[in-house]
């Protein structure tokens, strides 16, 4: 297996793979490979890995299935670490290895782009250029045999990542005037698998924690990093050969090789991201700075739980997603939000607040009304808190939210629109809910929605967020 880049996230991810490989070797499963890491950037070299014999420690810290987890895993899956800028000839030699079957990449969202790369460059500048040069070398080494094709698994967080990568490779092939036979081999013998990956890897531990763990383990580790217990790797393929090669699916409950990854994308978008967005305004109005701080509050945690279980989960039910699927995923979200080792700031979640609210949560409101034709109260409360937060003041050309004596810089492309509406508080809510530039439709047209938002805004402004949540807890026995 080859892995392109050495991001902090990928180190947390690869260390998890190492454990999958180990489990498989213990249970006699087919996959028993190691990882060749290719550092694709000029930042840093392979020296740090070489000094530690390519070993490093992953500290898994958090909550899983409601239970606190603290585990230190030594990653021994890496065979070599090569630098694209310094070891390009050696990297191309690896293309001749018949045991190499999988390429995994994580070059960030801007890594999968079309360039003017030539595969004869030493090395090509872009990741697609490097990959095309590598694949062309492999094609020549094995005379274009079907068996020499690879399973290519991009983990970049862009929609249809594998399709976009394949499209760029084919265009680069034309630009480089490569043969028709190679293009056919690239199309038919290689398997490009769309993926969704999810795991928070904050990276290096605070110095005091690292020192404490090193004393406990009895060794120093310059490459030690931390990750949460949760892991999700959904890989899209219905091809039997892909499932055979990626047989580590059997080794962990977080790996899925399925004909479509849309189910996992929807669960993550609505339950994880959507809940973050709906809870954010309420958390800030309640005076919480971090997600873990809010989840330590029993009433707030109950709101988050019931928001997912009572409203979002039902709105997700379809031919692919069962209510139980949604409930199971919601449970993992509660664990992740409650992780005492993560310092996730609510202020960071306010970035592009309006567009996030529109993309993640407007479809939930539409689906809820189609099912019940009534106000989803917990979603409405979260939206009301957002509306209050977006009642900003101007600081030069910038907009600032003022909450409980604290100021929050607002980075939102629609801040000016909401600022303008709030200049007339009497009509602000009507105008905000009715503006199709903000939402996919006029929200005032949903029966009872306007009145519910106005009621919640009044309660939040005059009673306070904590008191409103506490009263909601009492009224609904949530």
């Amino acid at each position: 297996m080859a892995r392109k880049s050495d991001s902090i996230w990928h180190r947390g991810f690869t260390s998890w793979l190492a454990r999958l490989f180990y489990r498989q070797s213990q249970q006699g499963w087919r996959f028993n490979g190691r990882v060749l890491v290719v550092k694709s950037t000029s930042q840093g070299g392979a020296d740090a890995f070489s000094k530690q014999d390519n070993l490093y420690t992953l500290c898994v810290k958090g909550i899983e299935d409601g239970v606190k987890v603290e585990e230190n895993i030594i990653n021994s899956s890496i065979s070599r670490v090569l630098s694209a800028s310094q070891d390009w000839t050696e990297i191309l030699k690896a293309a001749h290895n018949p045991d190499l079957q999988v390429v995994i990449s994580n070059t960030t969202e801007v890594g999968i782009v079309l360039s003017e790369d030539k595969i004869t460059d030493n090395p090509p500048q872009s990741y697609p250029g490097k990959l095309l040069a590598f694949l062309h070398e492999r094609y020549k080494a094995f005379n274009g045999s079907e068996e020499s094709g690879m399973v290519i698994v991009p983990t970049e967080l862009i929609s249809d990542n594998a399709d976009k990568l394949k499209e760029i490779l084919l265009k680069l092939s034309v630009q480089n005037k490569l043969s028709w036979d190679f293009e056919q081999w690239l199309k038919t013998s290689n398997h490009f698998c769309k993926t969704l990956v999810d795991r928070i890897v904050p990276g290096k531990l605070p110095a005091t924690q690292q020192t404490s763990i090193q004393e406990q383990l009895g060794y120093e580790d310059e490459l030690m990093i931390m990750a949460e217990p949760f892991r999700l790797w959904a890989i899209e393929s219905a091809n039997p050969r892909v499932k055979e090669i990626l047989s580590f699916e059997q080794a962990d409950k977080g790996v899925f090789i399925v004909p479509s990854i849309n189910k996992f994308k929807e669960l993550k978008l609505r339950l994880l991201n959507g809940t973050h967005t709906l809870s954010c305004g309420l958390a800030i109005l309640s005076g919480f700075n971090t997600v873990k701080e809010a989840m330590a509050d029993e009433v707030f945690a109950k709101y988050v739980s019931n928001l997912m279980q009572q409203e979002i989960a039902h709105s997700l039910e379809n031919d692919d997603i069962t209510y139980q699927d949604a409930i199971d995923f919601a449970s993992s979200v509660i664990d992740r939000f409650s992780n005492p080792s993560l310092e996730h700031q609510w202020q960071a979640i306010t970035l592009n607040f309006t567009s996030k609210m529109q993309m993640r949560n407007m479809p939930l409101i539409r689906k809820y009304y189609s099912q019940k034709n009534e106000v989803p109260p917990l979603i409405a409360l979260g939206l009301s808190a957002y509306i209050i937060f977006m009642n900003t003041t101007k600081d030069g050309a910038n907009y600032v939210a003022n909450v409980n004596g604290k100021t929050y810089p607002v980075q939102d492309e629609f801040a000016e629109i909401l600022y303008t509406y709030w200049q007339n508080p009497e009509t602000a809510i009507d105008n905000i809910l009715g503006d199709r530039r903000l939402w996919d439709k006029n929200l005032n047209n949903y029966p009872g929605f306007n009145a519910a938002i106005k009621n919640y805004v009044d309660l939040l402004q005059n009673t306070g967020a904590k008191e409103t949540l506490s009263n909601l807890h009492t009224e609904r026995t949530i």
Side-chain angles (χ1 to χ4, degrees):
M1 174 183 291
R3 174 164 68 77
K4 303 290 184 180
S5 93
D6 180 51
S7 66
I8 292 293
W9 178 87
H10 236 318
R11 266 197 270 158
F13 194 68
T14 302
S15 201
W16 168 40
L17 290 179
R19 186 162 63 165
L20 298 189
F21 303 159
Y22 174 76
R23 288 179 182 175
Q24 287 204 321
S25 65
Q26 295 299 299
Q27 299 179 43
W29 294 338
R30 181 179 182 275
F31 198 102
N32 190 22
R34 300 190 74 202
V35 180
L36 165 63
V37 176
V38 176
K39 292 179 66 68
S40 58
T41 65
S42 59
Q43 295 180 347
D47 292 348
F49 290 89
S50 179
K51 289 178 182 178
Q52 299 189 177
D53 295 324
N54 297 323
L55 302 173
Y56 62 88
T57 309
L58 177 69
C59 304
V60 179
K61 299 166 71 71
I63 298 174
E64 185 171 30
D65 298 328
V67 178
K68 187 175 181 180
V69 173
E70 288 193 8
E71 183 179 10
N72 301 313
I73 303 169
I74 296 178
N75 176 17
S76 59
S77 70
I78 296 176
S79 63
R80 288 186 294 165
V81 179
L82 300 177
S83 167
S85 61
Q86 300 173 16
D87 306 309
W88 187 240
T89 301
E90 193 67 23
I91 291 168
L92 290 180
K93 283 182 182 179
H96 294 245
N97 185 346
D99 293 329
L100 193 64
Q101 295 180 298
V102 185
V103 175
I104 301 173
S105 65
N106 183 38
T107 57
T108 76
E109 294 77 16
V110 298
I112 299 183
V113 292
L114 182 62
S115 67
E116 298 297 322
D117 274 338
K118 296 179 181 178
I119 65 169
T120 53
D121 291 344
N122 187 25
Q125 184 176 2
S126 71
Y127 166 61
K130 293 181 180 74
L131 180 58
L132 183 66
F134 183 89
L135 291 174
H136 189 254
E137 184 72 18
R138 188 172 180 85
Y139 170 80
K140 293 187 297 180
F142 294 97
N143 297 313
S145 69
E146 183 178 356
E147 295 75 18
S148 64
M150 305 196 73
V151 176
I152 298 167
V153 187
T155 62
E156 287 80 2
L157 291 177
I158 56 176
S159 184
D160 300 322
N161 46 21
D163 292 345
K164 291 180 180 177
L165 178 59
K166 183 177 182 180
E167 179 184 0
I168 290 172
L169 291 179
L170 290 170
K171 288 180 179 178
L172 276 175
S173 180
V174 173
Q175 286 179 197
N176 280 265
K177 299 180 180 179
L178 302 180
S179 70
W180 183 88
D181 287 340
F182 169 72
E183 287 186 28
Q184 294 308 302
W185 177 83
L186 186 63
K187 289 179 183 178
T188 61
S189 297
N190 295 273
H191 303 276
F192 293 80
C193 303
K194 291 187 286 188
T195 66
L196 174 68
V197 292
D198 190 11
R199 188 177 215 183
I200 298 174
V201 183
K204 202 171 183 66
L205 285 84
T208 54
Q209 287 188 34
Q210 174 145 346
T211 299
S212 175
I213 292 175
Q214 288 180 157
E215 290 176 353
Q216 173 190 337
L217 297 176
Y219 60 81
E220 293 184 359
D221 184 352
E222 294 181 7
L223 298 172
M224 181 183 293
I225 57 172
M226 190 266 278
E228 66 171 337
F230 180 84
R231 62 275 181 198
L232 171 65
W233 194 15
I235 302 170
E236 183 169 300
S237 181
N239 188 286
R241 182 168 183 264
V242 171
K243 291 188 72 104
E244 180 186 8
I245 292 173
L246 303 182
S247 61
F248 50 72
E249 176 193 18
Q250 306 167 68
D252 193 275
K253 67 179 183 179
V255 184
F256 303 88
I257 302 177
V258 291
S260 171
I261 61 172
N262 289 337
K263 166 184 174 178
F264 299 96
K265 292 169 68 174
E266 186 72 359
L267 288 169
K268 180 179 183 292
L269 180 64
R270 310 303 176 196
L271 285 166
L272 177 70
N273 305 131
T275 300
H276 253 156
T277 303
L278 284 168
S279 304
C280 182
L282 277 171
I284 291 174
L285 294 181
S286 298
F288 299 122
N289 294 317
T290 63
V291 175
K292 70 177 182 181
E293 182 186 359
M295 294 302 292
D297 182 273
E298 182 180 354
V299 173
F300 191 91
K302 200 66 178 175
Y303 165 80
V304 171
S305 176
N306 283 345
L307 170 66
M308 290 190 287
Q309 293 179 2
Q310 297 176 7
E311 296 184 10
I312 298 179
H314 284 296
S315 299
L316 291 177
E317 289 184 84
N318 57 34
D319 292 341
D320 297 322
I321 301 174
T322 67
Y323 179 69
Q324 191 59 50
D325 287 335
I327 291 299
D328 292 343
F329 197 90
S331 178
S332 72
V333 170
I334 293 294
D335 286 343
R336 301 179 76 187
F337 283 9
S338 304
N339 190 337
S341 298
L342 297 179
E343 296 288 338
H344 198 171
Q345 300 286 326
W346 285 111
Q347 182 174 347
I349 301 172
T350 67
L351 179 67
N352 299 320
F353 209 167
T354 305
S355 60
K356 288 177 180 176
M357 187 70 73
Q358 196 282 333
M359 179 180 66
R360 298 170 176 180
N361 298 312
M362 291 305 110
L364 295 174
I365 296 174
R366 182 169 61 248
K367 184 69 176 293
Y368 193 92
Y369 266 96
S370 72
Q371 292 173 330
K372 298 189 176 184
N373 198 34
E374 63 184 34
V375 176
L378 302 178
I379 292 176
L381 179 59
L383 181 62
S384 300
Y386 148 83
I387 290 173
I388 293 173
F389 179 84
M390 293 301 294
N391 182 7
T392 60
T393 57
K394 292 194 73 171
D395 180 14
N398 301 315
Y399 295 89
V400 177
N402 301 279
V403 181
N404 300 327
K406 186 175 180 179
T407 59
Y408 297 84
V410 173
Q411 299 181 55
D412 190 306
E413 63 179 312
F414 298 101
E416 183 177 359
I417 294 175
L418 283 104
Y419 170 82
T420 302
Y421 284 150
W422 268 115
Q423 298 313 295
N424 185 350
E426 294 297 319
T427 60
I429 294 174
D430 294 336
N431 289 328
I432 291 170
L433 295 181
D435 195 327
R436 292 178 181 271
R437 290 173 296 177
L438 306 178
W439 322 118
D440 56 354
K441 65 176 297 181
N442 185 339
L443 302 183
N444 293 308
N445 292 335
Y446 287 120
F449 198 72
N450 180 289
I453 296 294
K454 287 179 177 177
N455 178 57
Y456 282 136
V457 167
D458 179 68
L459 287 172
L460 291 169
Q461 288 179 325
N462 296 297
T463 305
K466 285 188 174 181
E467 187 68 23
T468 299
L469 284 169
S470 181
N471 292 338
L472 189 66
H473 175 89
T474 302
E475 293 169 6
R476 294 168 59 93
T477 60
I478 62 174

